[in-house]
Amino acid sequence: MKTTDTHAFANQLLVCLLVTIGFGGSIGLGTVWMRHQISLTADANRRILAQIADVERMISRTTADADAERDPERLRQRNAEWRLGLVPCSSPEVHVLAVTENAQRALLERNNRDLYRDDAPASIKLPLAALSR
């Protein structure tokens, strides 16, 4: 028996139709998945922004409370309440030291005076056993 060309054409058409439907379905499924991922990301961003706003609110509240506690009248009141016996400085001298030189260098030199001496050793000798490990 001889097969006709119409059956071969119908089989090819059916295969192409199934491939097209499968491809379209996969694109639709990918689109739905991508929109779901976008929605999840947007929800996470909203939650993070809410947390940031809460932290900023707490920081501003804490800063306001700290500023209120630094008020001189409030400090006097706390001193009297807690019977600390603190008195304001009566010395006419100002207890602030102005640093006109490089502050970091001055602190390093003060804390490491023995390293900056003229008679400090130029090199450090290590035992040979410590180096062999």
Side-chain angles (χ1 to χ4, degrees):
M1 293 189 45
K2 190 175 176 185
T3 59
T4 61
D5 291 334
T6 57
H7 286 325
F9 178 72
N11 287 340
Q12 286 179 353
L13 182 64
L14 183 62
V15 168
C16 288
L17 184 62
L18 289 174
V19 167
T20 304
I21 288 173
F23 185 69
S26 65
I27 287 180
L29 187 63
T31 303
V32 168
W33 177 79
M34 193 179 311
R35 289 180 60 112
H36 177 68
Q37 292 298 324
I38 290 170
S39 172
L40 290 178
T41 305
D43 288 342
N45 285 343
R46 249 183 262 121
R47 275 186 262 120
I48 289 171
L49 287 175
Q51 287 176 348
I52 289 172
D54 288 342
V55 168
E56 286 177 349
R57 206 173 311 116
M58 286 177 10
I59 288 172
S60 65
R61 186 180 313 135
T62 304
T63 303
D65 290 345
D67 288 342
E69 290 297 323
R70 284 190 202 111
D71 181 42
E73 185 57 39
R74 179 78 132 228
L75 291 173
R76 284 187 207 99
Q77 178 187 0
R78 294 279 188 231
N79 188 22
E81 280 179 16
W82 295 339
R83 297 184 189 119
L84 296 175
L86 300 174
V87 294
C89 182
S90 61
S91 173
E93 303 169 2
V94 177
H95 295 284
V96 177
L97 177 63
V99 178
T100 57
E101 59 194 29
N102 186 354
Q104 288 179 336
R105 176 94 178 153
L107 284 173
L108 282 173
E109 287 178 0
R110 189 182 73 196
N111 291 333
N112 301 308
R113 285 187 186 122
D114 56 336
L115 295 177
Y116 290 110
R117 291 185 318 207
D118 290 336
D119 60 341
S123 63
I124 298 173
K125 296 181 182 179
L126 296 175
L128 203 53
L131 295 175
S132 63
R133 287 185 192 174

